[in-house]
Every structure is written in structure tokens, then in C-alpha cells.
Amino acid sequence: MNKTIRTILGIALSVFMLASMPAVNSFAYGADTEVMDFQDSVITVEAGSSYTMGLRSTYDYTYYIKGSTSKATRLEASFKSGTQKITFHVGADETAKTMDFYFYVVDDRLQTTDKWDVIQVNVKPGKPAAAASVTETVSLANGKTGSVVKIGDVAMMNNESGVGMASFSLSDGKGHMVPFNYKGIANNGSANYFKVASSLGYASPKISESDKAVMLANGYAGVCVNGTCKNWP
């Protein structure tokens, strides 16, 4: 085989190998995108609403917030390595104009605490927060006591300090939230359910995977709509 043919075959093989490599999502924002790669670096969120973006993290991570004034402001995420969606929740009573969500690596695979990043959250004033229509004391895991607060069409379960842990709403199955009245806690002998009354009897609970895990860990399996108990989806 002469030199020219070997060269052509080598180029063809290289092109084939590059084309066969799996695609890696790249969001292009971050102090070190080889560690954490964010879809956005600065976001604007209205008080009482949420913002979801993409994140690719090479390592497990955690976070803390600087500048927030609301206990309901929090991050919803897997906190695990991989490509994922993360959601920034800004409390309806948030008064800060700007906050910083700091992300930093907590992973035995990376023996350093110097890998961190930050997302700036600018807060737009929201609509006046709806008054809490229901507040009830509820039991949590490990003998602790928390509360359930219903604001508008969302019910929030808080820990013993009043900090939001998880929330749920009702859906008509077509992407629309369904109004409901909160009625307390029901128990079927093995698990607790949140009792609600709704004009739409076939409404089903809507909850994120991370909030579902929190609910299950504290003994709450779903929602009873007009007496019909439905597990978390």
C-alpha cells in the first residue's frame, strides 16, 4: 500500500471516529466548564415564580444562597453529577433585588474544595403574595414536626423552622393547575395522604421528582382528591 493510500485511509478513519463519538451537551457558562457548565450565568426571576436551566456537572455538588430574605427561596436539583435541569425558586415574599446562588463541589473524586461557581439571580417584584389560606401542623420523619401552608393553588410542606421542603399542586392532565381546598391529613393504614377537595374530581397531583422524594421520606404517599387517594406520579 503506497503512502498516498495510507494517508487517505488514515483521514477517513479519523473522521469516522470523530463522528462516532457521543455528543456532550455544552452550555458554555461557568468559571471552569470542565467542572460545572451552566446554560445561563445571570438570570431574572419574578418573586413568587421559578426559573429552570440546564447544568452539566462533572462532580456531585451542593449550594448556598447569599442575599436572600425569603425562606421559600431555594434551589431544586439532583445535586449529582451529570447533565440535568435545575430550578431556582424565588419566594413570593422575597425582598432582595439581587441574590447569588453559589455552587461548589462535594465529591470524593475531587480532593479539593476550591471548585465553585455562582449564578446571579436578579429579582423582579412579583404580584402581591396571596394570603396563606391554610396552615396545619404535620408530622415529619424522625419525630419532628413541620407544617403545611397552602398559598393560592400550591401546598407547601415546611420543616420545623418554617423553611419550605417540598410542594405540590393539582393538574387537569393538560398542563393546567386546578384550584383546591386543603382539608388535612388522611391515613390508609400504611401511609399518609394530603386530603383536598376540588371541583375537578379527576385532578391528579403534580410534583417534581425531588419534592416527591422528600414527601415519601417523610411518610406522605400522595393526595386524596374528594376521597379518592392517588399516589405521587
Side-chain angles (χ1 to χ4, degrees):
M1 185 182 299
N2 61 43
K3 184 177 180 180
T4 301
I5 295 176
R6 286 199 301 268
T7 301
I8 294 173
L9 289 176
I11 293 173
L13 179 60
S14 298
V15 171
F16 174 78
M17 291 178 66
L18 286 172
S20 300
M21 292 176 66
V24 176
N25 288 338
S26 179
F27 300 116
Y29 287 105
D32 185 349
T33 55
E34 293 300 317
V35 177
M36 291 183 183
D37 188 10
F38 295 90
Q39 185 174 350
D40 300 293
S41 59
V42 179
I43 61 176
T44 299
V45 187
E46 183 176 302
S49 61
S50 304
Y51 185 98
T52 299
M53 72 162 72
L55 164 65
R56 180 178 57 80
S57 180
T58 306
Y59 303 97
D60 296 349
Y61 60 94
T62 187
Y63 83 107
Y64 72 91
I65 307 172
K66 181 180 179 181
S68 173
T69 63
S70 172
K71 293 180 178 179
T73 295
R74 63 191 179 94
L75 179 76
E76 180 184 331
S78 71
F79 304 108
K80 300 294 185 181
S81 61
T83 300
Q84 60 208 259
K85 294 292 185 180
I86 58 176
T87 301
F88 299 79
H89 297 284
V90 176
D93 59 341
E94 183 62 71
T95 60
K97 293 183 179 179
T98 301
M99 303 176 292
D100 292 318
F101 280 67
Y102 284 89
F103 294 74
Y104 55 97
V105 171
V106 283
D107 196 313
D108 292 338
R109 293 174 293 170
L110 189 66
Q111 298 299 323
T112 178
T113 59
D114 293 335
K115 295 297 184 181
W116 59 274
D117 217 319
V118 60
I119 300 297
Q120 179 179 310
V121 179
N122 298 319
V123 182
K124 288 175 56 180
K127 299 175 183 178
S133 59
V134 175
T135 301
E136 182 189 24
T137 299
V138 295
S139 298
L140 302 177
N142 301 319
K144 295 181 179 180
T145 300
S147 62
V148 170
V149 179
K150 180 179 179 291
I151 303 177
D153 295 329
V154 176
M156 171 74 74
M157 185 171 71
N158 300 324
N159 65 15
E160 64 274 18
S161 300
V163 177
M165 299 170 61
S167 63
F168 71 88
S169 59
L170 292 187
S171 170
D172 64 356
K174 300 178 181 179
H176 303 119
M177 293 179 66
V178 175
F180 65 91
N181 293 319
Y182 180 79
K183 296 295 185 179
I185 303 296
N187 186 285
N188 66 355
S190 60
N192 293 321
Y193 290 80
F194 297 101
K195 292 193 299 182
V196 301
S198 173
S199 59
L200 199 65
Y202 63 81
S204 59
K206 181 176 177 60
I207 190 171
S208 69
E209 285 298 319
S210 58
D211 284 4
K212 173 183 173 180
V214 172
M215 290 293 194
L216 292 174
N218 283 277
Y220 295 91
V223 176
C224 291
V225 182
N226 298 344
T228 301
C229 294
K230 306 176 181 183
N231 292 331
W232 303 122

